[in-house]
Amino acid sequence: MSDVLAVAEHRQGAVRDVSYQLLTAGRELADAFGGDLHVAVVGGDADAFAADLDREGVDVVHTVAYGDEFNHDVYTQAVEQLAADVDPAVLVLPNSVNGLDYAPAVARGLDRPLVTNVVDAAVEDGALIATRERYGSKVEVDVAVDDVPCVLTVREGEWASAGAGGSAEIRAADVTIDEGAVGSTVVGFEEVAGGDVDIAEADFLVSIGRGIEEEENLALIEELCEVTGATLSSSRPIVDKGWLPPNRQVGQSGKTVAPDVYLAIGISGAVQHVAGMKGADTIIAINTDPDAPIFDVADYGVVGDLFDVVPALVEAFE
Ligand SMILES: Cc1cc2nc3c(=O)[nH]c(=O)nc-3n(C[C@H](O)[C@H](O)[C@H](O)COP(=O)(O)OP(=O)(O)OC[C@H]3O[C@@H](n4cnc5c(N)ncnc54)[C@H](O)[C@@H]3O)c2cc1C
């Protein structure tokens, strides 16, 4: 028992980025245990998804043909059966809405420990040490799991995506879904209001916080987004005020993002905000307060008034 089984996630016909990150986390654990990395893809265009998931470090991709959308009972049954077949030391699932829906059921079904919200994992003296965040991301806790196999849900944005170019074996999984035990039917997928944009998929995010002062000032930030091709996101107060829809919120109670560039404007850098964006490759902050905590995580910073700096940036990009 030294292999790792990661379960990919897809939505509306595309593999989600978190899936590629699971491959990196899974590969690291498989190396630590000295085993293979298996990846499962359940439903959707399983063959195309399997080709996409055949990336660096993947040994086997298992495909389960079933419907297009996520279904709790189908995923639970499929993953339990695959786990019985692969006999992994660790199951790696996404800490997403879907992952958190079926991971506890899988852990219960297999009678194995579950660690959620994992941001790091290592193997020391044969024991798995899973690092998770608690108390609104204020505290990191190392959980020693000596009772493998176990189930981990790993947080999006904490691992890099696995590179392309794998040579995995692709197998149609020998899984039988008991239709009688499928208690729900998924009739479609509907984005929440304003759901035209998924900020988690953006390469360049311009994020605005309470420093913007008034709703009408958002036009300035939208202009910056337009000239730079960036996607607009925000801290929570902007969403709480109803100035932007909830799908634009970055942070602990919003979305976790990992863009190439994250430009934080008028955002203080509270732990609940940073929890959602610290995985960005390059973080740039504009803030009048030189002691704002956002500068602790920023790669580049401008101590200045956004009402001076942003128009200058717009002009420069134009
Ligand atoms: C359970 C819980 C969950 C939460 N979840 C989230 C979450 O998901 N996402 C999130 O963002 N927050 C979340 N919060 C709220 C979080 O604690 C902070 O209150 C919030 O992130 C602060 O937002 P802000 O940085 O925009 O505002 P502020 O903290 O008010 O910061 C505004 C910043 O703008 C700067 N500023 C002011 N004027 C200018 C100017 N003219 N030019 C440049 N800079 C200027 C100020 O110096 C300041 O640093 C959560 C809180 C709790 C308790």
Side-chain angles (χ1 to χ4, degrees):
M1 191 205 304
S2 53
D3 291 352
V4 170
L5 174 63
V7 183
E9 180 161 310
H10 57 88
R11 186 194 288 168
Q12 294 187 294
V15 174
R16 301 199 69 222
D17 281 352
V18 66
S19 305
Y20 310 128
Q21 299 161 15
L22 295 185
L23 304 185
T24 305
R27 183 67 257 165
E28 284 176 15
L29 287 169
D31 285 344
F33 280 108
D36 287 343
L37 173 61
H38 297 248
V39 180
V41 58
V42 182
D45 189 351
D47 291 338
F49 294 165
D52 188 12
L53 290 161
D54 177 11
R55 291 181 170 228
E56 235 168 33
V58 178
D59 295 295
V60 185
V61 183
H62 302 261
T63 61
V64 178
Y66 195 100
D68 284 333
E69 300 292 352
F70 172 76
N71 182 297
H72 167 93
D73 296 312
V74 174
Y75 267 65
T76 305
Q77 288 189 41
V79 174
E80 277 184 28
Q81 289 177 41
L82 274 165
D85 177 32
V86 172
D87 193 21
V90 187
L91 274 119
V92 183
L93 313 183
N95 196 71
S96 59
V97 173
N98 291 359
L100 290 171
D101 178 294
Y102 71 95
V106 168
R108 180 184 164 280
L110 298 173
D111 196 20
R112 301 315 311 165
L114 165 70
V115 186
T116 58
N117 206 23
V118 172
V119 295
D120 199 6
V123 178
E124 288 173 19
D125 300 328
L128 177 72
I129 311 290
T131 306
R132 65 189 305 269
E133 289 190 343
R134 299 189 62 188
Y135 303 117
S137 302
K138 288 193 177 76
V139 176
E140 278 195 352
V141 180
D142 284 345
V143 182
V145 193
D146 45 16
D147 189 17
V148 295
C150 67
V151 183
L152 305 183
T153 64
V154 308
R155 212 164 70 187
E156 186 164 9
E158 300 295 334
W159 277 266
S161 294
S167 54
E169 179 194 343
I170 298 185
R171 283 186 208 162
D174 187 14
V175 161
T176 309
I177 304 297
D178 174 6
E179 292 293 343
V182 177
S184 58
T185 308
V186 179
V187 293
F189 181 88
E190 236 175 78
E191 290 275 6
V192 291
D196 50 319
V197 171
D198 184 357
I199 57 170
E201 306 289 333
D203 294 331
F204 180 10
L205 283 174
V206 167
S207 212
I208 187 64
R210 197 146 41 189
I212 196 67
E213 292 174 6
E214 303 289 341
E215 185 175 11
E216 55 263 31
N217 295 337
L218 277 179
L220 179 62
I221 309 302
E222 284 162 353
E223 210 182 336
L224 180 63
C225 288
E226 204 176 312
V227 294
T228 56
T231 301
L232 180 62
S233 57
S234 76
S235 64
R236 178 163 156 174
I238 303 301
V239 170
D240 286 347
K241 285 172 191 285
W243 296 352
L244 285 176
N247 66 321
R248 301 279 178 157
Q249 182 186 321
V250 173
Q252 183 199 323
S253 52
K255 288 204 173 184
T256 300
V257 297
D260 296 335
V261 179
Y262 188 86
L263 172 55
I265 305 177
I267 292 177
S268 58
V271 282
Q272 295 90 353
H273 185 81
V274 171
M277 46 65 82
K278 64 184 179 195
D281 278 351
T282 302
I283 298 170
I284 309 167
I286 302 171
N287 200 303
T288 42
D289 177 5
D291 297 323
I294 192 73
F295 289 125
D296 296 340
V297 293
D299 299 289
Y300 301 95
V302 180
V303 179
D305 188 326
L306 72 89
F307 296 104
D308 298 329
V309 179
V310 174
L313 282 175
V314 170
E315 199 184 318
F317 277 99
E318 272 174 348

